[in-house]
Amino acid sequence: MAITHAVRIDAGTDRARPVRTGLDRTRGERDRGIDLVRACCIVGVVVLHAMMVGVTVTATGPVFENASDGTAWIAPISWALQVMPLFFVIGGFAGLLAYRRRRSHGAPATAFVATRLHRLLLPAVVTIGCVGVALAMLTLAGVPADLVAMAGFRFGQPLWFLGVFLLCQALLPALAAAHERAPLRSIASLTSAAVLVDVLRAATGVDALGFINLVLVWTALQQLGFFLADGSIGALSRRVRSLAGVGAVVVLVVTWWTGVYSSDLIANINPPTAALLLVGVAHTALLSLVRERLTRLSAHRRVAFVTDFVTRRAMTIYLWHMPVLLTMAGASAVFALTTGVALPAPDSLGWWLGRPLWLGAALTLTALVATVFARIEAVPTPMATHSRGRITVAVLLGLAAVVLLLVAGTSVTSATLAVLSILAALRVSRSSSRSERPTIRLLRSDATGAEVVGASGA
C-alpha cells in the first residue's frame, strides 16, 4: 500500500510536522470506510425526517404535523440519528484532501470552490424548480393556500444544510491555511467563539444570537475533520481517543442534566449550539477507533453496492427526500379522504406498527427518485473562473437563494427567484475568458468532497 505524509502536531509549539499514514490520497485512492460512514449519515437523515412526518384527517380536513413534537421518544432517537456533526467532520476530511490534491496539480483555490459550488447548486436548482412547479400545480388544482404554504415551508427546512455546507466549503481554503499554520489555535478559536455565543445567548435571552453559530459550530466541526485527514487523530493512542470520546459524552450528559442544553439533539441544531461540538468529538473518536473495521466491512459486495449508490447521489438524495416525504404525506391524506379509512394518530400503537412500512417506502421511493435525477449531479464541472471576486459573488448568490427560501418560505415566487439566483451563481463561477482555460477542472468531486471514480482531469 502506498504511503503518504500527513501532519502531527508538536505539543507546546502548535506546529505541524509530517507523519505517515496508510493511503496515498494524492493518487486518487478512496477511503471506502469514510464513504460507508457518509452513506450511513445520508440514510440516517432520511430516516429521521421520515419519522417526523405525521398525517391525520379530521372533520375540517387533513392535518400535517411534526410527529415528534412533545414526545418522549425523539430525544433518545436523536442521540442515534443526529449525524450532522459527523457529516461536517467527514466533509472537512474529504474536502481538505481534495483541495490539497488540486493544489498539488497547480489549481487555484477558486477552482476548488467553483467545483464545490457546481456540485451543490446544480442539483439544487433542479429540485427547487420542480418544487416551484409542483406548488403552482397544487394552487391551480384548488388545494387550500395554507396547505400549499405548509408544503413549501417543510420543503425549505432542510435546505439550511445546503447553505451552511456551501459556506463551509467556500471557506475551506482559508481555513486549511489557518490549520496548516496553527492547527490547535485555529480550532480552539472557533470552538471558544461558539461557546461564547451560547453564553451570550443564555445571558441576554436573545435567541437570534445563536444563528452566529451557523458559521462557528459547523466550521469548527469541519476543522476537526482536517485533523482526521492529517492523521493527527489516528496518531493518538487508542486510550486517548477512547477517553476523548467518553469524556465528550459525559460532558454532554452533564449539560443536559443541568439544563444547559436540551437532551433532544435535534433541538440543538436550530440554531446550532456547542453541544453539537461534543457530539462531533464523540463521533470522530469512535470513527477513528473502528475505522479499520469499517474499511473491511465496506469491501463486502452488498455493502459496497449500497455505499457507491448513495455516495454518487448524496446531494440528490438529500434534496429530494423531503419532496418524497411530502408526496407520501399528501397521498396518505387523499387516500383517507377518498376511502374513509382513518389514519392512526402520531405516537399511537397503530402509528408505530406502520413505521417499518412507512420508512421502507420512504427509502425506496427516495432511491428511485435519486436514480432518475442523479444524472444532474454527474454533470461535469465547467471551466472555473480564476477571479476571487467572481467566485465570491457566486457563493453569495447561492447563499442568498437558500436564505430566501428559509426566511420567506418556498412559494412559486420565492422558488422562481431562488432558481434565478442560483443560475446566476453558476454562470458567474464559470471561466469568462480564454486566458483562464489552462487551469480547468482537475477532478470531479461529489458535493461532500469524495472524488468520483472515473472522473476526467489531470
Side-chain angles (χ1 to χ4, degrees):
M1 180 177 291
I3 299 298
T4 186
H5 292 286
V7 173
R8 184 196 296 269
I9 302 165
D10 280 331
T13 64
D14 196 22
R15 296 293 180 185
R17 63 184 178 84
V19 295
R20 288 155 63 88
T21 60
L23 287 177
D24 187 350
R25 297 288 297 189
T26 63
R27 295 187 183 180
E29 294 184 25
R30 296 174 61 86
D31 192 313
R32 305 291 300 177
I34 294 296
D35 284 349
L36 173 58
V37 174
R38 180 190 292 110
C40 289
C41 286
I42 292 292
V43 173
V45 169
V46 177
V47 170
L48 179 62
H49 288 167
M51 287 291 295
M52 293 180 172
V53 177
V55 188
T56 52
V57 174
T58 66
T60 58
V63 176
F64 302 95
E65 58 186 322
N66 186 334
S68 66
D69 285 347
T71 63
W73 54 263
I74 187 59
I77 284 183
S78 72
W79 282 63
L81 294 180
Q82 177 50 284
V83 295
M84 278 303 175
L86 182 57
F87 199 96
F88 276 84
V89 170
I90 292 174
F93 171 93
L96 181 66
L97 294 174
Y99 171 62
R100 285 178 172 173
R101 182 174 185 185
R102 282 158 176 72
R103 188 173 62 182
S104 71
H105 285 81
T110 53
F112 170 84
V113 176
T115 300
R116 289 299 184 271
L117 184 143
H118 175 86
R119 302 293 296 175
L120 288 165
L121 294 186
L122 186 61
V125 74
V126 174
T127 308
I128 295 169
C130 290
V131 169
V133 171
L135 294 177
M137 293 175 64
L138 290 175
T139 302
L140 293 175
V143 175
D146 59 330
L147 292 181
V148 176
M150 184 279 302
F153 171 73
R154 295 297 184 191
F155 163 73
Q157 279 185 307
L159 292 182
W160 70 266
F161 168 78
L162 173 63
V164 173
F165 198 76
L166 172 60
L167 179 61
C168 287
Q169 293 288 290
L171 294 174
L172 190 144
L175 293 172
H179 176 77
E180 289 165 357
R181 289 194 304 269
L184 291 179
R185 193 182 312 152
S186 61
I187 194 169
S189 299
L190 291 169
T191 301
S192 300
V195 173
L196 178 60
V197 168
D198 284 353
V199 171
L200 292 175
R201 178 186 173 191
T204 62
V206 181
D207 285 342
L209 289 173
F211 288 101
I212 299 174
N213 274 341
L214 281 171
V215 177
L216 298 175
V217 166
W218 300 118
T219 52
L221 288 165
Q222 178 176 263
Q223 210 83 351
L224 182 59
F226 293 174
F227 288 90
L228 190 64
D230 279 341
S232 305
I233 294 176
L236 300 173
S237 69
R238 294 183 65 86
R239 181 180 181 182
V240 169
R241 285 177 279 165
S242 299
L243 288 174
V246 171
V249 173
V250 170
V251 173
L252 190 60
V253 171
V254 170
T255 61
W256 157 50
W257 192 262
T258 56
V260 176
Y261 295 122
S262 170
S263 60
D264 177 5
L265 295 181
I266 306 302
N268 283 287
I269 209 170
N270 187 30
T273 69
L276 298 177
L277 298 178
L278 295 170
V279 177
V281 171
H283 284 170
T284 304
L286 178 60
L287 172 59
S288 70
L289 291 170
V290 301
R291 196 167 163 190
E292 292 183 4
R293 294 182 182 179
L294 289 174
T295 300
R296 291 195 296 269
L297 176 62
S298 66
H300 294 184
R301 183 172 60 86
R302 292 182 180 178
V303 175
F305 173 80
V306 175
T307 299
D308 289 342
F309 180 90
V310 176
T311 298
R312 292 173 180 271
R313 301 164 177 82
M315 202 62 207
T316 303
I317 291 173
Y318 189 88
L319 289 167
W320 278 100
H321 82 278
M322 188 55 71
V324 167
L325 292 176
L326 291 170
T327 301
M328 289 174 61
S332 298
V334 170
F335 172 78
L337 288 170
T338 55
T339 64
V341 175
L343 297 177
D347 209 23
S348 65
L349 177 60
W351 186 82
W352 278 107
L353 291 175
R355 287 309 88 188
L357 179 60
W358 177 267
L359 294 177
L363 291 171
T364 301
L365 292 175
T366 299
L368 291 175
V369 172
T371 300
V372 173
F373 287 95
R375 65 186 64 186
I376 304 299
E377 193 168 349
V379 172
T381 305
M383 301 173 186
T385 180
H386 290 181
S387 169
R388 292 186 178 181
R390 286 173 62 90
I391 205 67
T392 299
V393 170
V395 170
L396 291 176
L397 286 170
L399 292 175
V402 176
V403 171
L404 172 64
L405 297 177
L406 290 174
V407 173
T410 307
S411 63
V412 176
T413 301
S414 63
T416 301
L417 293 174
V419 165
L420 293 175
S421 185
I422 292 176
L423 289 176
L426 293 171
R427 180 66 187 88
V428 171
S429 68
R430 296 176 183 175
S431 171
S432 60
S433 66
R434 292 182 179 275
S435 61
E436 291 186 332
R437 296 193 176 186
T439 61
I440 357 181
R441 53 183 179 273
L442 291 174
L443 293 170
R444 246 174 52 213
S445 301
D446 67 19
T448 61
E451 292 169 355
V452 178
V453 176
S456 62

